[in-house]
Amino acid sequence: MITTAPVLPTFLAWLARRRLRHLHAAGALLGWLAYIGSPVYRRRLVANARRAGVGEADRRRSVAEAGKMVMELPRLWLRPHDEALAEPVSWQGEALVDAALARGRGLMLLTAHLGSFEVAAQAYAERWGAQQPMTALYRPARQPWLRGMMERSRSRPGLLTAPANVSGVRQLMRALKAGQTLGMLPDQVPPAGMGVWAPFYGEPAYTMTLAARLALQTGCELLIITVTRRPQGGGYDIHLAPLPEPLPPPWPAGGDEQAWTLAAATVLNRAMQWQIARAPSQYLWGYHRFKQPRPPEAAP
């Protein structure tokens, strides 16, 4: 029996050597093929975009952008560790990171499933990793060959990874207490028991509480990082900004912790909506944001 496991890594390595504009062109086609070929994916994408009030033009562009995201991953994952991001990277608001690192309270960079969010961690590591490394939370892949490739590619100089389980949460806490940086996606649906049902575009969505609780317990600073891809493989634009509104103050002794958790999750959801409004055509509207959470994962 012939398996695809040995063949697929070789193909991904071949893709990693292609020019970004060629990958994005192929990705746009891939996005439309997935949209046309999967009724479930198509219905979810359309429903989520309409729920957010996204216009027809931006919704159609998001179909191609989702495919571009998939096709640019081999270059990001398999690029040699000593090779810089080849494409032009334009920064806006980088002084916010400089100031946060200088204060030494720890920093959390938040992004939705928007644009080239995988670029954010590597771009940070190239610019500030020698000063303070970043630890990014991730969910290990089920396939052993893919899990190994992702772990090797995401663990770069100045960039560490933490699995989405109890041991990974402890790793994140230690990193923040050491004044380091975390990267998190607050619109990632967490395992059961690690979130609350909070409004997202007017409907309940199971929302992680980890980011808000880490900020509360460590006093770290929070910034939103947005990475959008330029047309025709022209590189990336990275924008940094504070949260549009602060997290609620800690609950007083004897107060309602559950109410605080819901309020904090709601603030983060509104922050993600604010970010998505900057580039709605590059959000993954096909992401199953309103699904039921999966069972919790045990710590190794």
Side-chain angles (χ1 to χ4, degrees):
M1 179 178 179
I2 298 175
T3 63
T4 59
V7 177
L8 192 51
T10 302
F11 177 63
L12 294 177
W14 179 83
L15 286 177
R17 297 190 295 271
R18 303 308 101 190
R19 300 187 66 174
L20 187 62
R21 62 188 179 92
H22 296 152
L23 293 176
H24 281 178
L29 176 60
L30 176 67
W32 277 103
L33 289 175
Y35 181 83
I36 295 170
S38 173
V40 173
Y41 171 69
R42 182 169 63 252
R43 285 194 297 267
R44 183 190 304 143
L45 187 151
V46 171
N48 288 344
R50 287 178 175 171
R51 181 183 288 114
V54 175
E56 177 71 14
D58 280 330
R59 180 174 64 79
R60 292 180 65 84
R61 282 194 290 268
S62 75
V63 173
E65 294 294 334
K68 292 178 185 180
M69 185 213 70
V70 173
M71 290 299 290
E72 70 190 2
L73 287 179
R75 297 186 85 255
L76 295 172
W77 288 357
L78 301 178
R79 194 178 79 257
H81 287 188
D82 58 352
E83 180 180 312
L85 284 168
E87 291 73 39
V89 175
S90 172
W91 289 87
Q92 296 181 31
E94 62 268 35
L96 294 171
V97 175
D98 292 329
L101 295 182
R103 286 188 285 268
R105 292 162 38 197
L107 172 63
M108 195 184 306
L109 297 179
L110 307 174
T111 180
H113 287 80
L114 177 72
S116 300
F117 56 89
E118 284 272 356
V119 170
Q122 293 192 20
Y124 170 92
E126 285 190 6
R127 183 152 187 157
W128 291 285
Q131 179 181 352
Q132 282 290 11
M134 169 185 275
T135 302
L137 188 70
Y138 79 106
R139 183 184 180 190
R142 296 180 183 274
Q143 299 86 352
W145 67 269
L146 180 58
R147 181 168 62 248
M149 184 180 69
M150 291 174 63
E151 290 173 354
R152 288 191 300 271
S153 63
R154 288 176 169 175
S155 296
R156 293 175 172 269
L159 179 59
L160 308 172
T161 58
N165 55 33
V166 176
S167 66
V169 172
R170 296 194 185 105
Q171 183 181 341
L172 298 180
M173 180 70 75
R174 289 193 298 268
L176 283 179
K177 288 183 175 179
Q180 297 176 7
T181 301
L182 301 187
M184 300 189 72
L185 282 79
D187 65 337
Q188 183 91 38
V189 178
M194 296 183 66
V196 294
W197 291 95
F200 186 67
Y201 288 112
E203 292 193 21
Y206 200 65
T207 304
M208 72 159 59
T209 59
L210 178 59
R213 289 186 173 276
L214 286 174
L216 176 67
Q217 294 178 33
T218 65
C220 72
E221 303 189 45
L222 299 172
L223 292 175
I224 294 178
I225 182 168
T226 307
V227 184
T228 52
R229 63 183 67 85
R230 296 176 181 174
Q232 300 179 347
Y236 304 100
D237 292 316
I238 305 179
H239 181 269
L240 292 143
L243 263 66
E245 58 181 307
L247 292 175
W251 64 91
D256 191 341
E257 179 182 354
Q258 186 175 3
W260 181 91
T261 302
L262 176 59
T266 301
V267 166
L268 289 182
N269 275 349
R270 284 199 294 262
M272 295 300 97
Q273 291 178 211
W274 174 86
Q275 183 191 32
I276 293 166
R278 296 180 57 87
S281 65
Q282 294 199 25
Y283 186 64
L284 291 183
W285 295 110
Y287 176 60
H288 203 349
R289 180 66 183 91
F290 299 91
K291 67 181 178 181
Q292 292 290 323
R294 66 184 184 278
E297 299 178 11

